[in-house]
Amino acid sequence: AEYDFDPASQAEISVDIGDDEMKATIRVSAPGPGGTDVSAAEILAYAEGLGVMHGILQDVLLDFETRPRYDEHIVIAQGERPVNGADAKIAYMFHVDRSTINLREKDGRVDFKELDLIENVEAGQILAKKVPAEEGESGRTVTGRELPASSGADIEITAGKNVRLAEDGQSALAEINGQVILQQKGVIVVEPIFLVSGDVNHKTGNILFLGTVLVKGNVEDGFDVKAAGDIEIRGSVGKCVIDAEGSITVYQGIQGKSGGRVHAGGDVLARFIEQGTVECDGNVVVSDGIVHSRVDAKQRIICDGKHAQIVGGHLRAAEAIQARVMGSINGTETTIEAGFDPQSMEALAEYRRQKDKVEAALPDLDLNIKTLETLKQSRRGLTEEKEANLAELIEEKAQLTADLNAANKGIAELNSHLETLGTRGRVSVAGQVHQGVKVFIKNGTPLAVRNEFKSVTFYLEGNDVKVTQYEAEEIPPKRS
């Protein structure tokens, strides 16, 4: 319908720039008689005239044009606040918080022996990486004024003992095998020695460490201590597994209780060994005695001390065995073997068992193959099932032949090794040798002691074990 336009009745626009120029709002009054509504373009032009030029909310303006809302404060422009960059941070490749214990389940039950309290690392392993600081994103007010942002703060990786930084300084690497620890002020170190200040028990769990382990207390029954270096135990060892690539020192004794096992790549030094199993690639040196135990040494077994007695059990050493007393008045059966490498002898026996097993299986296998091949030739072919059976038999023979060749090679190498050992094969006793002791030296005829000897050395002459005047073995130096 026609109407009379009255400019004085036009809607009025007011613009407010506030919040540190981060927001622009409008307030539009309703038009009077003869007045008209304002358009989005008119509002925008009015706001721009007052300096609003950034962050315009076009959808709000268009919505107002379609559905005007009078006498309300409506935000039509929004500024952008600056965003500071994130600080640099260090991403650690190991558990930093060692106060929490993660328990594992074994056969549906919690295994309290596997507490994972040690964080083992290997030389060259990456321990930490730096996440670089980020650049900030500047902001802008509705009037177009730029608001600068700050970049994130930098941080450096602090490499401590046995840790090095990569050339670019962006990561830290272990220089040795050991335990990684995050010290105060973010210093990363790798310790070559893991210290247990008390006993190894449910509080510590089993110990597995790529370095040397020092236990100031005892190792209680049922717990394991394994190390890539040495193991030193100031107390005693119970029915446990103690395994070191280096040497093992037990200040008190080893009480295996017919179930413990001690293995060392070097020497084993202890006050006594009782009902235990001990294996080492070096010397076994005991100050008091070895009782009802199985002890194997690739070098010597030395039982040296005022009460150094070997009673019962089975002892084997590649070079020599020495004690002050051997056997007991009661005639306890005690087996002593010297002059060969016990581990090589066991490997040789295993190769021979494999060889005998293969040689026993080959004749029947050859017969079955020959039967099928003859049948194939006479009938000019085999059924699909028999052809597959023949192929399996031929493949099995090839595998057994390879196993036989490997066994023969192993036997030849071990025999050569045993022949070139150059071991003296001696058993020396400073005091009494009681009846019940049986002495084996190399491959000679063993000597069963029926009458006591005193202060003697057993040696091999020809194929027989002979007795001569006592000659002491050189005792390896004891560790402090």
Side-chain angles (χ1 to χ4, degrees):
E2 293 184 4
Y3 74 98
D4 295 327
F5 174 66
D6 183 1
S9 298
Q10 278 286 82
E12 294 183 356
I13 305 170
S14 64
V15 175
D16 179 60
I17 300 173
D19 194 14
D20 294 330
E21 299 183 7
M22 295 302 294
K23 182 170 64 175
T25 61
I26 63 168
R27 185 174 183 276
V28 181
S29 63
T36 60
D37 292 325
V38 293
S39 67
E42 289 174 321
I43 296 174
L44 179 59
Y46 187 83
E48 288 178 346
L50 295 175
V52 179
M53 62 180 63
H54 181 75
I56 304 296
L57 305 177
Q58 294 287 351
D59 55 338
V60 173
L61 294 178
L62 293 173
D63 182 67
F64 184 88
E65 183 179 74
T66 304
R67 293 174 295 179
R69 292 178 290 153
Y70 299 115
D71 298 319
E72 291 184 21
H73 292 283
I74 300 170
V75 178
I76 63 163
Q78 190 75 56
E80 297 169 358
R81 296 192 181 276
V83 178
N84 293 331
D87 293 342
K89 60 183 179 180
I90 299 174
Y92 296 99
M93 305 301 164
F94 56 93
H95 293 102
V96 174
D97 183 7
R98 306 304 298 172
S99 62
T100 58
I101 297 175
N102 297 317
L103 297 176
R104 297 178 180 178
E105 285 192 6
K106 187 175 182 181
D107 299 328
R109 302 179 64 184
V110 174
D111 188 354
F112 289 96
K113 296 179 182 178
E114 300 297 339
L115 301 183
D116 286 340
L117 297 181
I118 303 174
E119 187 90 19
N120 284 302
V121 295
E122 298 179 354
Q125 182 175 331
I126 297 176
L127 305 178
K129 291 182 179 180
K130 184 167 83 169
V131 179
E134 296 179 356
E135 295 290 333
E137 295 182 8
S138 61
R140 193 174 295 274
T141 68
V142 294
T143 60
R145 180 165 56 88
E146 185 176 2
L147 301 174
S150 299
S151 297
D154 197 12
I155 189 173
E156 298 296 333
I157 300 177
T158 306
K161 184 173 60 176
N162 302 317
V163 177
R164 64 179 175 86
L165 291 179
E167 292 183 3
D168 59 5
Q170 300 300 300
S171 58
L173 299 90
E175 290 188 315
I176 63 170
N177 294 348
Q179 178 192 19
V180 60
I181 299 173
L182 184 64
Q183 295 181 333
Q184 292 183 348
K185 298 183 179 179
V187 179
I188 307 170
V189 300
V190 175
E191 294 288 355
I193 297 178
F194 180 73
L195 173 65
V196 180
S197 57
D199 298 336
V200 175
N201 50 28
H202 283 93
K203 185 177 180 180
T204 64
N206 294 330
I207 305 296
L208 172 62
F209 185 55
L210 296 179
T212 292
V213 175
L214 170 59
V215 180
K216 289 193 172 181
N218 306 318
V219 182
E220 296 184 1
D221 291 349
F223 288 89
D224 301 344
V225 179
K226 299 180 181 180
D230 297 336
I231 295 176
E232 183 175 324
I233 300 167
R234 298 287 173 85
S236 61
V237 169
K239 188 177 180 180
C240 313
V241 174
I242 311 295
D243 196 336
E245 292 183 18
S247 295
I248 296 173
T249 302
V250 183
Y251 281 51
Q252 296 304 313
I254 299 170
Q255 298 171 308
K257 301 175 185 177
S258 301
R261 186 180 71 85
V262 175
H263 176 270
D267 298 334
V268 173
L269 294 84
R271 182 179 172 187
F272 64 86
I273 302 172
E274 182 178 336
Q275 293 183 330
T277 298
V278 176
E279 301 170 350
C280 77
D281 292 345
N283 301 291
V284 174
V285 181
V286 177
S287 60
D288 282 5
I290 302 175
V291 180
H292 296 295
S293 298
R294 184 178 184 89
V295 181
D296 288 346
K298 279 192 174 181
Q299 294 182 14
R300 294 171 294 171
I301 299 173
I302 305 294
C303 201
D304 176 67
K306 292 182 179 180
H307 307 289
Q309 185 173 7
I310 296 175
V311 180
H314 192 165
L315 280 68
R316 302 185 297 180
E319 296 180 8
I321 298 176
Q322 175 176 298
R324 187 166 297 276
V325 176
M326 204 167 280
S328 68
I329 297 176
N330 298 328
T332 304
E333 183 177 341
T334 307
T335 303
I336 307 295
E337 299 183 31
F340 58 82
D341 179 351
Q343 294 182 6
S344 294
M345 290 295 290
E346 289 180 358
L348 181 62
E350 179 59 28
Y351 276 129
R352 285 172 174 164
R353 284 192 291 270
Q354 292 177 7
K355 179 180 179 181
D356 292 343
K357 183 178 179 180
V358 172
E359 289 179 340
L362 278 174
D364 288 342
L365 193 59
D366 283 333
L367 180 60
N368 292 335
I369 291 173
K370 185 176 181 180
T371 300
L372 287 174
E373 287 178 339
T374 302
L375 184 62
K376 181 178 181 178
Q377 186 175 8
S378 63
R379 295 185 179 180
R380 298 182 179 180
L382 293 172
T383 64
E384 184 176 341
E385 182 181 354
K386 283 187 169 53
E387 191 69 53
N389 188 22
L390 177 59
E392 289 177 1
L393 292 174
I394 292 173
E395 184 178 349
E396 184 180 353
K397 181 181 178 180
Q399 182 60 54
L400 287 177
T401 302
D403 292 344
L404 181 60
N405 291 336
N408 285 330
K409 181 180 178 181
I411 290 170
E413 290 176 350
L414 285 172
N415 278 329
S416 176
H417 166 68
L418 292 170
E419 288 174 3
T420 57
L421 276 179
T423 54
R424 292 171 297 162
R426 291 152 48 101
V427 176
S428 299
V429 185
Q432 295 291 119
V433 183
H434 297 284
Q435 61 178 349
V437 174
K438 184 175 285 188
V439 179
F440 295 77
I441 297 181
K442 296 184 178 180
N443 294 322
T445 303
L447 172 64
V449 177
R450 292 184 173 84
N451 298 307
E452 292 189 354
F453 294 99
K454 186 173 183 180
S455 190
V456 295
T457 291
F458 299 92
Y459 68 100
L460 187 67
E461 184 178 284
N463 195 46
D464 297 320
V465 176
K466 300 290 186 179
V467 182
T468 188
Q469 186 176 355
Y470 171 73
E471 296 179 25
E473 294 291 326
E474 179 183 350
I475 300 173
K478 294 182 180 180
R479 298 189 172 201
S480 58

